[in-house]
Amino acid sequence: MKEKYTCSTKVKLMFLWSCIMMVSHLSGQIITIPISTANSVVLMQTDSNNRLRTIYFGKPLENDTEYAGVSANYNYDESNAGIYNSSYTPAGTWNLSEPAIQVKHADGNPSLELKYLSHKKEIIDENTSITSILLKDPVYPFEVTLIYKVWTKENIIEQWTEIKHKEKKPVLLQKYASANLYFAGKDFYLTSFQGEYLKEMQPAETKLIQGIRTLDSKLGTRSMLLQTPNFILSFGKPASENEGSVMLGQLAWSSNFKLDFEIDSHKNLRLIAGINPFASEYSLAPNEIFKTPSLIYALSNNGTGEASRNLHDWARKYRLLDGQGERLTLLNNWEATYFDFDENKIVDLFKDAKDLGVDMFLLDDGWFGNKYPRNNDDAGLGDWQENKKKLPSGLGYLVKEAKKEGIKFGIWIEPEMVNPKSELYEKHPDWVIKQPQRPEIYYRNQMVLDMSNPEVQDFVYGIVDNLFVKNPELAFIKWDCNAVIYNAYSSYLNKKGLPQSNLYVDYTEGLYKVLQRIRAKYPKVPMMLCSGGGGRGDYELLKYFTEFWPTDDTEPLERIFVQWDYSYFFPSIATDNHVTDWGKQPLKFRVDVASMGKLGFDIVAGKLDEKDKLFCKQAITSYNSFKDIVWHGDMYRLVNPHENDIAALMYVNPDKSKAIVFNYLVNNRFNITATKRPVVLNGLNSKKKYTVKEINLYPGETSSIASDKVYTGDFLMKAGINPNVNLKRTSVLLEVNEVQ
């Protein structure tokens, strides 16, 4: 059956839901369903038992009528024990492999069969489509819809499932994956990203062997602290920046996740991704729809670089809040004052922010609590009123004083958390997640509020709403989340007669509901997502946040590696980078590193010497001249710091007329040969001519780069240019400009 769908711009303007195709299964008819991007296709087909299989993953065929014949090339065993390539594998009947879904029906029966019923493709616009495939149990009124949203140009697929039933009583969902993918081939390599606090996003590549490799989190909140839901799959050989078939993926879920990569007995790869079923059997009421989180993946036949750029484009256009907009540079008070400040000290810091030239001042932790003042991290969380001793004139006074200095004002909150030493805890201990019969367990002297409870949702929404109602000119929110969930138990679920295993899911859905309400009333206010550093950063939460904080580790040398590895999945406009006093590198090095994203400062600016202060002011002016390229341009990773003595990364604007190249020394050994070689650039127009100029020079320093020399793009992308990074020039920032 021929299934090729196009939609002109005229059709798109006439109606949104166009080109809808519904196919009902006829006895004995084989149905073939391609999920196609510009450069890749996932091909599914029904078999003689009317089960849906994945039969092909790879480059699209030029003639789509040939898709129906793909399965003839594979000797698939249709006996019950041999169906490894099911598109959504059920438990309890024919399957003996790791399932994608496992349920217990209302009558206690644990068996499930899913047969193809129908599918449809809906054209959203000329670049976007949604394919829905309906599977149904032939015995029970239970159904699963597999949904694939495709952005053709960016080669991005977002995949999720919707589960529904019409049984008389609730069905227990014991496992409910978002995606069940199957790849036939030879040799599969997985890059995962482990870590811990201050050591987030540590890459590890391994060749997958027979058996299951699992990536998961059971932390409840801060789900990315020890293991992230981001991964790179490469096919046939290890991942490479500019060649080879790769998939960059992420489960967009802000709580417990599980990703299983299984090499089966045929040496092919099964990928099952979704919410971690650990302690999370979910009771689904009749006629309700359970929507799983999305597995989002970018596909490329030309390496991780192309996949990253496509993912960045997609994120800015379609997912990240205000991804095509602007960001505010800022000065934060945290490392300048910690908890020790009053309003006079804060107002004095406004002058430093104005003098530096940043857009905003951010007041961090410690501004709230009266009965239990927030003078350290063991008290006050939950009591979101200004501390009268520190801020007798209130936040409104600070907002006005900042405005007088010509800067904006932002605030830190941690609304999902509570200290036991707080008025909130005294009034509402039932709002706290804790086992009633067990000793309380604290993480950073705090506990987690029960976001499954609608009253708690109202409270958390009210924290943000009250701040804006009282201070309409408040310009920024930093939303932190430092604790994980211990002693998982909800008084609310118990009161409602709902199972405790609903908690992890209902907590996360409750958080999303609060953020939806906030964005409905305050759609454009920038908000930073923070979680003890990089504990959170996923594309479901980033629907509501403009940016996130990758790690509390601001040591600039370590930060190069962290930002490099985050760059596979997130555009630079989404990452907040602050200049601090951490590390032994010079100020210029620290500022250059922080400029590869959204620039901020967390220093005592008033204590900078004259040269350092002059450099910061000049660097901010320089940053303002190229930040649009960093935020919205194409990013090219040139020299990998994990493999070399230097690191190099560049950003190119859309018409290839300007680029910014960041170069760093990452190894301080004396015999460094890599610095004697040129860095080969990328992303330019080979036919255009360019000059290369060093910028962000420290006052009194001169450049060794000849700024008047003219190069062709071809030369720079083949022969390259040596930035002359060395022990005395540890950070070199180059501006590439087209010669008009």
Side-chain angles (χ1 to χ4, degrees):
M1 177 175 292
K2 185 174 182 179
E3 296 179 359
K4 187 173 183 179
Y5 309 98
T6 59
C7 184
S8 67
T9 303
K10 290 183 180 179
V11 174
K12 179 182 70 173
L13 295 174
M14 290 175 63
F15 51 91
L16 181 63
W17 298 98
S18 62
C19 303
I20 298 181
M21 191 277 290
M22 176 70 75
V23 178
S24 295
H25 181 77
L26 302 176
S27 178
Q29 183 182 8
I30 300 300
I31 304 299
T32 304
I33 308 170
I35 308 296
S36 301
T37 70
N39 296 326
S40 298
V41 63
V42 178
L43 189 64
M44 286 168 285
Q45 191 176 82
T46 57
D47 63 14
S48 61
N49 291 310
N50 205 24
R51 296 172 181 142
L52 189 67
R53 295 179 171 198
T54 301
I55 62 169
Y56 177 77
F57 166 79
K59 297 179 181 179
L61 303 182
E62 291 185 5
N63 185 353
D64 61 349
T65 61
E66 294 188 293
Y67 281 132
V70 170
S71 61
N73 290 322
Y74 298 92
N75 295 319
Y76 288 120
D77 179 8
E78 291 199 10
S79 65
N80 288 342
I83 305 177
Y84 293 93
N85 61 327
S86 170
S87 297
Y88 200 68
T89 312
T93 51
W94 54 266
N95 169 53
L96 300 178
S97 301
E98 182 67 25
I101 183 168
Q102 183 176 6
V103 307
K104 183 182 289 185
H105 295 285
D107 63 3
N109 191 311
S111 67
L112 181 65
E113 171 69 291
L114 294 173
K115 298 288 185 86
Y116 168 86
L117 186 65
S118 63
H119 75 280
K120 64 180 179 179
K121 182 169 182 177
E122 302 162 354
I123 304 299
I124 306 302
D125 56 40
E126 59 189 8
N127 188 48
T128 314
S129 65
I130 297 178
T131 299
S132 304
I133 307 172
L134 180 59
L135 309 177
K136 192 175 184 304
D137 191 302
V139 175
Y140 287 88
F142 186 97
E143 62 187 42
V144 173
T145 304
L146 309 182
I147 302 176
Y148 304 80
K149 190 171 184 179
V150 174
W151 289 267
T152 303
K153 179 182 175 182
E154 290 82 11
N155 290 288
I156 303 292
I157 299 176
E158 180 179 12
Q159 180 177 349
W160 69 93
T161 64
E162 294 183 358
I163 304 169
K164 183 181 178 181
H165 72 89
K166 296 181 180 179
E167 301 186 27
K168 294 181 179 180
K169 294 181 179 180
V171 169
L172 190 64
L173 305 182
Q174 297 170 308
K175 187 176 183 182
Y176 33 92
S178 301
N180 183 176
L181 298 173
Y182 188 78
F183 309 97
K186 182 179 182 295
D187 297 337
F188 302 93
Y189 294 82
L190 172 67
T191 303
S192 57
F193 298 86
Q194 292 81 29
E196 57 184 283
Y197 180 59
L198 299 179
K199 294 181 181 179
E200 294 88 349
M201 212 63 183
Q202 301 291 315
E205 184 177 59
T206 183
K207 182 178 179 180
L208 294 172
I209 60 175
Q210 193 164 343
I212 298 179
R213 170 82 165 94
T214 296
L215 312 178
D216 76 337
S217 173
K218 302 181 180 71
L219 303 180
T221 61
R222 293 189 70 177
S223 60
M224 290 174 57
L225 176 62
L226 304 178
Q227 173 77 68
T228 83
N230 305 292
F231 64 90
I232 300 173
L233 266 182
S234 57
F235 304 91
K237 60 181 180 180
S240 175
E241 186 70 17
N242 297 310
E243 61 179 25
S245 295
V246 297
M247 169 190 285
L248 269 58
Q250 180 197 91
L251 187 76
W253 179 245
S254 313
S255 185
N256 299 346
F257 59 84
K258 188 180 184 187
L259 310 174
D260 285 331
F261 301 84
E262 179 184 9
I263 301 296
D264 65 22
S265 60
H266 298 296
K267 304 299 189 291
N268 295 322
L269 173 62
R270 302 175 74 235
L271 167 56
I272 299 176
I275 293 173
N276 196 333
F278 167 77
S280 294
E281 293 184 335
Y282 198 85
S283 179
L284 182 63
N287 297 308
E288 290 187 359
I289 296 176
F290 186 95
K291 181 181 180 296
T292 69
S294 297
L295 178 69
I296 298 167
Y297 45 100
L299 303 169
S300 170
N301 298 312
N302 298 298
T304 53
E306 180 183 82
S308 287
R309 288 185 290 277
N310 285 339
L311 191 54
H312 297 169
D313 284 345
W314 169 83
R316 288 187 294 253
K317 292 176 185 175
Y318 301 107
R319 185 53 56 98
L320 176 66
L321 185 66
D322 197 24
Q324 295 180 292
E326 300 292 313
R327 296 293 184 268
L328 299 170
T329 56
L330 60 83
L331 176 66
N332 192 6
N333 71 297
W334 179 244
E335 296 199 15
T337 67
Y338 295 98
F339 294 101
D340 183 19
F341 60 83
D342 58 27
E343 66 184 25
N344 293 326
K345 185 180 288 188
I346 296 301
V347 169
D348 286 342
L349 292 176
F350 293 166
K351 298 179 176 62
D352 292 337
K354 174 65 174 178
D355 191 36
L356 282 177
V358 297
D359 302 314
M360 184 186 70
F361 179 87
L362 173 62
L363 178 61
D364 215 291
D365 195 359
W367 58 269
F368 52 90
N370 287 292
K371 181 178 180 181
Y372 301 102
R374 183 71 169 175
N375 295 323
N376 49 50
D377 69 2
D378 66 3
L381 273 181
D383 302 342
W384 298 101
Q385 307 86 30
E386 297 98 325
N387 179 277
K388 294 177 181 178
K389 184 176 181 181
K390 292 182 180 180
L391 306 178
S393 305
L395 289 176
Y397 169 75
L398 296 181
V399 174
K400 291 176 182 177
E401 290 300 306
K403 187 176 182 180
K404 287 180 183 179
E405 290 291 342
I407 59 172
K408 297 181 179 182
F409 182 84
I411 196 79
W412 176 96
I413 57 174
E414 193 175 3
E416 299 164 71
M417 304 295 158
V418 62
N419 286 127
K421 196 175 180 180
S422 67
E423 292 183 82
L424 178 65
Y425 184 89
E426 291 177 346
K427 294 176 182 176
H428 295 288
D430 57 315
W431 284 9
V432 181
I433 294 176
K434 59 176 182 174
Q435 287 279 356
Q437 304 300 322
R438 302 289 181 183
E440 294 178 355
I441 303 176
Y442 309 134
Y443 193 105
R444 290 193 177 183
N445 300 308
Q446 63 194 60
M447 301 170 74
V448 182
L449 293 175
D450 182 5
M451 294 291 288
S452 73
N453 186 338
E455 287 186 311
V456 175
Q457 295 171 25
D458 290 341
F459 171 77
V460 173
Y461 170 78
I463 294 168
V464 178
D465 188 43
N466 289 337
L467 284 171
F468 285 122
V469 168
K470 294 179 180 178
N471 309 284
E473 293 185 277
L474 188 66
F476 188 87
I477 294 286
K478 178 182 177 182
W479 183 302
D480 215 338
C481 168
N482 285 306
V484 298
I485 294 178
Y486 290 114
N487 280 341
Y489 182 88
S490 165
S491 296
Y492 168 78
L493 292 177
N494 181 61
K495 182 178 179 180
K496 291 293 181 179
L498 295 171
Q500 290 298 317
S501 58
N502 281 21
L503 177 58
Y504 287 118
V505 172
D506 286 353
Y507 177 98
T508 309
E509 294 292 351
L511 172 61
Y512 295 157
K513 288 177 183 177
V514 170
L515 293 169
Q516 288 162 9
R517 291 172 65 187
I518 291 170
R519 284 311 180 188
K521 189 172 182 180
Y522 307 102
K524 295 184 179 181
V525 177
M527 294 206 308
M528 175 204 292
L529 180 64
C530 185
S531 187
R536 277 177 170 171
D538 65 76
Y539 278 121
E540 191 63 30
L541 276 177
L542 287 173
K543 290 178 178 178
Y544 313 107
F545 291 84
T546 51
E547 56 222 66
F548 76 100
W549 182 238
T551 176
D552 278 352
D553 186 354
T554 56
E555 200 284 330
L557 186 59
E558 292 299 322
R559 193 73 182 220
I560 289 172
F561 291 84
V562 170
Q563 291 172 201
W564 179 279
D565 293 310
Y566 272 113
S567 77
Y568 288 106
F569 305 97
F570 300 100
S572 294
I573 192 173
T575 58
D576 285 324
N577 308 322
H578 289 182
V579 179
T580 72
D581 291 328
W582 286 36
K584 299 179 181 179
Q585 285 73 25
L587 180 63
K588 170 181 162 49
F589 190 103
R590 289 179 268 148
V591 173
D592 286 351
V593 171
S595 296
M596 296 189 299
K598 198 207 84 167
L599 176 63
F601 289 81
D602 202 337
I603 56 177
V604 186
K607 294 184 179 180
L608 294 173
D609 64 35
E610 288 305 312
K611 275 193 172 183
D612 280 352
K613 182 179 292 187
L614 177 61
F615 170 74
C616 284
K617 294 169 70 171
Q618 292 175 343
I620 292 171
T621 300
S622 179
Y623 175 77
N624 288 334
S625 73
F626 65 72
K627 64 186 181 184
D628 187 67
I629 303 175
V630 171
W631 293 347
H632 304 118
D634 289 328
M635 186 205 68
Y636 294 85
R637 290 178 290 267
L638 305 178
V639 183
N640 190 333
H642 293 288
E643 302 169 357
N644 297 276
D645 294 328
I646 66 171
L649 183 147
M650 71 183 290
Y651 300 86
V652 185
N653 69 353
D655 67 2
K656 302 182 184 299
S657 63
K658 186 174 181 179
I660 303 296
V661 188
F662 295 86
N663 306 271
Y664 306 100
L665 183 67
V666 296
N667 191 328
N668 287 327
R669 299 195 316 269
F670 285 100
N671 184 23
I672 302 172
T673 58
T675 61
K676 298 176 175 64
R677 295 193 294 268
V679 171
V680 177
L681 306 189
N682 205 341
L684 302 174
N685 186 324
S686 62
K687 304 298 183 183
K688 290 184 176 182
K689 294 182 179 180
Y690 299 92
T691 57
V692 180
K693 176 185 178 182
E694 184 173 356
I695 60 174
N696 270 24
L697 286 163
Y698 192 80
E701 299 293 329
T702 58
S703 176
S704 61
I705 307 296
S707 61
D708 57 348
K709 189 173 181 178
V710 177
Y711 307 87
T712 65
D714 181 65
F715 179 91
L716 292 172
M717 292 190 294
K718 290 178 180 175
I721 185 169
N722 194 329
N724 296 330
V725 173
N726 55 52
L727 291 170
K728 294 182 179 180
R729 286 167 50 85
T730 56
S731 174
V732 176
L733 183 50
L734 302 177
E735 182 181 85
V736 181
N737 284 292
E738 180 185 357
V739 177
Q740 300 295 332

